Amino acid sequence: MSEKNPDEQRPADTNATQPDRPRSVGDDPPPITDGPQRLDPRWITVERISSWIYAGIVTIALLVFLGLCWSLGWFGLWLRLGFTLMSVGVSASLVYRAHIYPTLWYRRASYVLSQTAIEIRTGVWWRSVTSVPRSRIQHTDVEQGPLMRKYGIAKLIIHTAGTQHATVELIGLSRQQADRTRDHLIARVAGTHEPGRADGV
Amino acid sequence: MSDPPPRSHRLHPSSLLFQFVSGLRHFIVPGLLVLVVGASSDWAKWELYLMPILALFMVAQIVRYLSLRYRFDDHELVIRQGVLSRTERHIPFDRIQNIDLVQNVAHRALGVAEVRLQTASGSEPEAVLRVLAMHAVETMRERVFQGRERASSESEIGSAGGPAGSLARTGEPAERQEIVRLGLEELVRLGVISNRGLVLVAAAIGISYQFNPWERLNVSGWFQSARGLAEAGNLGPIAVGVAVAGASVLVLGLLIAMSIAWTVLKFHGFRLERVGDGFRISFGLLTRHTATVPARRIQFVSVHQSALARLMGRSSIRIETAGGSGDDGRHAFSRKWFVPILPTCDVPRVLNTVQPGLDMRHAPWRGLSAGAARRATRRALRNWLLPAVVVAVVFRPWGLAALVLPVLGVWLARRQCALTAYAMTDECVLFRSGVFTRKTSAARIDKIQAVRLAESPFDRRYRMATLAVDTAGAGPADHRIRVPYLDRQVAAQLAVDLTRLAESAAFRS
């Protein structure tokens, strides 16, 4: 996962389509078919980096706290031992979250873009399948953070008129994949129905 | 009215008065607080600070009033506002979900009303016109609802329509049909059921924290003297018990009376009518609320029965339209109080006017997974048994009462499982749940926005899943379609079916 994205200097526009963008990174996005589609593996790297940064900050803070506890003799012995044990636990879970979890998540996540709906599967422990009928899509966003931009990853956000699932996120797509999916969803939304009728509002 | 091309209108001149008064409230409340709570010697200084602000505020209000204009275009309502930065808001008629009116006593005396236009977006009303004369409101209703019919008929025919202004009134002045009218007797019942007295008590407590009148009232002194009285009169524990019970009954009675008074005041003259293609709700003795909801904007219908209401054979019906769901108290009255109280046997008739053919009682109800009750029982035992035993052992003689808790917990969990059910008809998804307050809801399939199937690790152990159906406008009805403890396969199939049906239903009509 160490290849460099040649167009990392691209301006930070999040919504423009760039059909002439050189496709030098990763594979071409798979064509839009009825089968389940995987996310871009580069997402694992992005997720790992950001989670490692978080884990590092928390661990350092804990270490500083423990160091002060032990060197200055704060709290009782048992409490100190307890804190130490807890910190080890927290750090271990953060390491799990940063290193192992993204792979597991990636393996489980997929999406299906069918004629009737977009269906998104996510979750490792708490799993969910969210289906949004195509006519219910009000609008979509493609979002990229700085780290995501560096690795050519994007997040597709689908807005419906609903309440609980008013925004449905599809994270970990490659930029091209996100753009193509977006274009596909939008074309369908714009083309086939008279607004205000089919969106169920 | 055959007005020449779009003529713009102003708000009613009394708007100035109301805006000024309502704006003044912002100043008066802190002012009063200073007067009451703080030392009143510095009051004069406060006045000095307030005066220029007040003057500025007044000018701003006048400018605002003069700059706000609205007009009806062919398909939309246009509201222009502002002097320096001008905003022009276009609201297409067919995007307006409902028109709500609020009239307090002063409004009614002057024959004006505050108008709130709701669209599907956001939690706030799209536009608040404060205030319009009643005949202007009537015009607005006509234009909005007729304009919408015209827009839809035009798009069906595909013609461009006549020139602006020559609005041919093809539709007869929409016929009205009364669906529900609430008399005093029902309102008293509603007062008992809704238990508003507690809300008033909460408000009183809230105020008391601000002003702390306890010191002056010397409540503990009362207790002391009551105790002294009891001792002096040589009253036994039974007499004291009777006195306490009597006092509680008195307080309870007072609370119920307050609740009844509040309810009668608020819902006096409640009427639900069918007006043309929509529903009109109106109620209120002092502040009069009127709302118009187009029938096809209704997303979700929910029938609620609290335990007390069931005892009296009463239900209430709430509806949801898209948008305006953020503040369910003030802005959503038309949906929260669609029918605040109704004999349960009368519910099918009213539902039938909302959604023809919807029969909640005889829907093909299906229960949860066969293993649901067992799973719920285990869960209840896991949660309750250990703490109850610990309490029982530690506080031995009296603590043994805690052993009732696991039994209750198990009963509740099993009841929940037995009472939760879902159903699918050609047009609707139905869901019911609740042990004490029972809620039964129906969402039209063509109003479904998203479907989610969720599995927790525990679900997986039992091969179960939760199915959630999302619709627009969730809030006032206070009930979501979320069916837990379904067999995994059943739930997955349902999710697929619902998504497919939702997509195809959208294009059927």
Side-chain angles (χ1 to χ4, degrees):
Chain A
M1 228 57 70
S2 59
E3 74 263 69
K4 268 253 177 174
N5 193 331
D7 49 10
E8 60 178 90
Q9 304 304 331
R10 212 155 38 78
D13 60 338
T14 52
N15 244 337
T17 353
Q18 282 149 341
D20 53 346
R21 210 182 136 228
R23 292 233 178 97
S24 50
V25 182
D27 323 43
D28 272 350
I32 283 158
T33 54
D34 260 14
Q37 290 174 38
R38 306 297 299 270
L39 305 177
D40 194 293
R42 286 172 297 182
W43 178 83
I44 300 176
T45 320
V46 172
E47 184 66 14
R48 275 188 182 158
I49 292 172
S50 59
S51 302
W52 269 119
I53 291 170
Y54 178 71
I57 291 169
V58 172
T59 307
I60 287 169
L62 285 173
L63 280 178
V64 168
F65 175 69
L66 286 178
L68 286 173
C69 275
W70 285 102
S71 59
L72 301 178
W74 288 353
F75 307 108
L77 179 67
W78 288 109
L79 222 64
R80 263 181 277 167
L81 278 174
F83 281 148
T84 313
L85 221 66
M86 257 162 61
S87 305
V88 170
V90 167
S91 291
S93 65
L94 283 176
V95 167
Y96 162 80
R97 176 67 183 74
H99 203 79
I100 303 168
Y101 186 83
T103 327
L104 297 178
W105 196 92
Y106 173 78
R107 254 185 238 153
R108 292 222 63 90
S110 69
Y111 66 98
V112 181
L113 197 61
S114 72
Q115 284 302 309
T116 50
I118 178 161
E119 186 185 286
I120 300 166
R121 285 166 193 272
T122 53
V124 176
W125 299 102
W126 273 263
R127 292 177 195 165
S128 72
V129 185
T130 309
S131 329
V132 181
R134 289 188 133 194
S135 57
R136 304 306 200 270
I137 297 169
Q138 298 282 345
H139 63 278
T140 56
D141 297 333
V142 174
E143 223 179 73
Q144 279 187 304
L147 202 64
M148 289 163 105
R149 228 166 20 242
K150 182 167 157 73
Y151 286 90
I153 294 290
K155 174 159 84 176
L156 181 69
I157 305 171
I158 298 165
H159 297 263
T160 71
T163 36
Q164 308 267 293
H165 312 304
T167 54
V168 179
E169 289 185 349
L170 182 50
I171 43 182
L173 294 171
S174 73
R175 176 68 202 237
Q176 295 114 298
Q177 217 174 350
D179 284 344
R180 281 181 66 166
T181 311
R182 192 258 324 262
D183 292 345
H184 199 66
L185 290 173
I186 291 295
R188 175 65 193 272
V189 168
T192 34
H193 80 91
E194 167 199 347
R197 275 303 171 103
D199 61 357
V201 182
Chain B
M1 346 119 255
S2 51
D3 4 305
R7 217 187 76 192
S8 65
H9 311 264
R10 272 213 184 109
L11 300 180
H12 191 266
S14 65
S15 303
L16 214 49
L17 182 74
F18 289 114
Q19 287 201 349
F20 188 62
V21 169
S22 82
L24 219 57
R25 264 204 312 244
H26 297 293
F27 294 106
I28 277 185
V29 170
L32 273 181
L33 269 178
V34 167
L35 201 65
V36 171
V37 179
S40 52
S41 57
D42 279 344
W43 174 237
K45 257 187 191 167
W46 275 93
E47 227 172 21
L48 213 70
Y49 292 134
L50 280 176
M51 278 320 278
I53 305 176
L54 258 164
L56 214 74
F57 172 74
M58 228 157 120
V59 172
Q61 292 302 326
I62 292 170
V63 169
R64 207 177 106 87
Y65 166 72
L66 289 176
S67 75
L68 197 149
R69 280 159 179 275
Y70 67 92
R71 66 168 197 267
F72 304 103
D73 275 1
D74 253 0
H75 297 282
E76 59 191 6
L77 174 70
V78 183
I79 301 173
R80 301 180 61 165
Q81 197 178 359
V83 180
L84 295 177
S85 65
R86 216 169 229 177
T87 55
E88 190 170 279
R89 178 171 286 196
H90 293 247
I91 311 173
F93 291 145
D94 65 343
R95 287 291 171 190
I96 293 175
Q97 300 272 333
N98 39 15
I99 300 177
D100 292 0
L101 296 190
V102 178
Q103 286 182 286
N104 61 30
V105 181
H107 288 149
R108 287 168 73 186
L110 290 169
V112 295
E114 186 179 316
V115 180
R116 295 171 185 157
L117 298 170
Q118 308 260 11
T119 62
S121 73
S123 55
E124 295 278 295
E126 185 74 45
V128 180
L129 295 170
R130 198 177 321 196
V131 293
L132 290 184
M134 280 319 281
H135 65 84
V137 171
E138 213 40 61
T139 313
M140 175 165 293
R141 269 201 191 123
E142 261 168 41
R143 297 298 288 259
V144 166
F145 290 110
Q146 257 177 20
R148 178 156 58 207
E149 272 160 35
R150 211 163 54 118
S152 61
S153 67
E154 255 172 32
S155 66
E156 271 156 29
I157 301 162
S159 71
S166 72
L167 188 130
R169 287 208 210 165
T170 43
E172 61 278 11
E175 81 269 28
R176 297 173 141 216
Q177 185 202 345
E178 186 172 281
I179 301 171
V180 178
R181 174 198 286 273
L182 297 183
L184 192 63
E185 195 190 333
E186 286 295 312
L187 290 185
V188 170
R189 276 206 190 91
L190 177 60
V192 175
I193 292 169
S194 63
N195 210 357
R196 275 282 153 172
L198 282 183
V199 178
L200 290 179
V201 167
I205 290 173
I207 291 170
S208 76
Y209 269 110
Q210 302 251 315
F211 295 102
N212 199 11
W214 300 122
E215 281 171 36
R216 259 166 273 168
L217 285 179
N218 195 8
V219 174
S220 60
W222 291 2
F223 277 115
Q224 296 266 318
S225 52
R227 207 163 143 196
L229 242 155
E231 271 162 14
N234 222 355
L235 294 174
I238 295 172
V240 170
V242 167
V244 166
S248 347
V249 166
L250 205 75
V251 168
L252 196 71
L254 206 70
L255 284 183
I256 292 174
M258 281 200 296
S259 177
I260 291 172
W262 183 86
T263 312
V264 170
L265 221 63
K266 172 155 183 174
F267 290 109
H268 177 81
F270 181 95
R271 264 164 63 171
L272 169 67
E273 294 166 298
R274 177 108 207 183
V275 181
D277 190 30
F279 294 94
R280 184 172 298 180
I281 304 150
S282 51
F283 59 84
L285 185 64
L286 299 179
T287 298
R288 187 130 192 100
H289 295 257
T290 312
T292 315
V293 185
R296 67 182 187 85
R297 295 297 190 190
I298 295 176
Q299 307 280 327
F300 196 80
V301 194
S302 196
V303 178
H304 290 206
Q305 286 183 297
S306 66
L308 215 54
R310 256 196 337 275
L311 220 61
M312 295 192 219
R314 291 297 181 273
S315 304
S316 69
I317 302 178
R318 298 178 182 195
I319 56 162
E320 278 185 357
T321 57
S325 59
D327 186 341
D328 58 338
R330 278 170 346 104
H331 297 312
F333 65 84
S334 56
R335 288 144 278 156
K336 192 169 177 185
W337 307 117
F338 190 64
V339 184
I341 188 169
L342 188 73
T344 302
C345 57
D346 209 18
V347 169
R349 179 182 67 85
V350 176
L351 284 183
N352 212 36
T353 61
V354 175
Q355 171 65 46
L358 174 62
D359 185 354
M360 284 186 170
R361 253 181 313 175
H362 303 108
W365 287 107
R366 277 185 281 174
L368 304 182
S369 155
R374 226 185 58 200
R375 183 177 162 192
T377 307
R378 279 196 195 174
R379 201 180 124 184
L381 284 178
R382 202 173 51 225
N383 290 347
W384 288 103
L385 205 53
L386 190 67
V389 167
V390 167
V391 168
V393 169
V394 174
F395 307 96
R396 200 93 34 98
W398 293 101
L400 286 173
L403 289 176
V404 180
L405 283 177
V407 179
L408 268 176
V410 168
W411 174 80
L412 197 67
R414 294 189 80 98
R415 261 329 257 157
Q416 247 158 16
C417 283
L419 287 167
T420 307
Y422 67 95
M424 260 175 75
T425 65
D426 289 342
E427 296 211 300
C428 296
V429 203
L430 288 84
F431 175 58
R432 72 165 186 232
S433 67
V435 174
F436 300 110
T437 295
R438 295 194 187 157
K439 301 173 181 176
T440 312
S441 299
R444 286 174 55 119
I445 286 174
D446 60 0
K447 302 288 189 197
I448 292 174
Q449 294 289 336
V451 180
R452 174 172 283 191
L453 184 76
E455 280 175 279
S456 70
F458 310 103
D459 275 329
R460 270 204 298 290
R461 206 167 100 201
Y462 291 93
R463 292 205 184 77
M464 292 183 191
T466 298
L467 183 78
V469 176
D470 196 26
T471 57
D478 194 23
H479 197 210
R480 313 291 321 138
I481 298 187
R482 196 176 162 281
V483 199
Y485 294 176
L486 286 172
D487 280 324
R488 211 201 158 275
Q489 245 118 40
V490 174
Q493 189 57 47
L494 260 173
V496 171
D497 289 349
L498 278 175
T499 311
R500 194 170 39 77
L501 285 171
E503 176 70 9
S504 58
F507 297 103
R508 205 169 46 203
S509 57

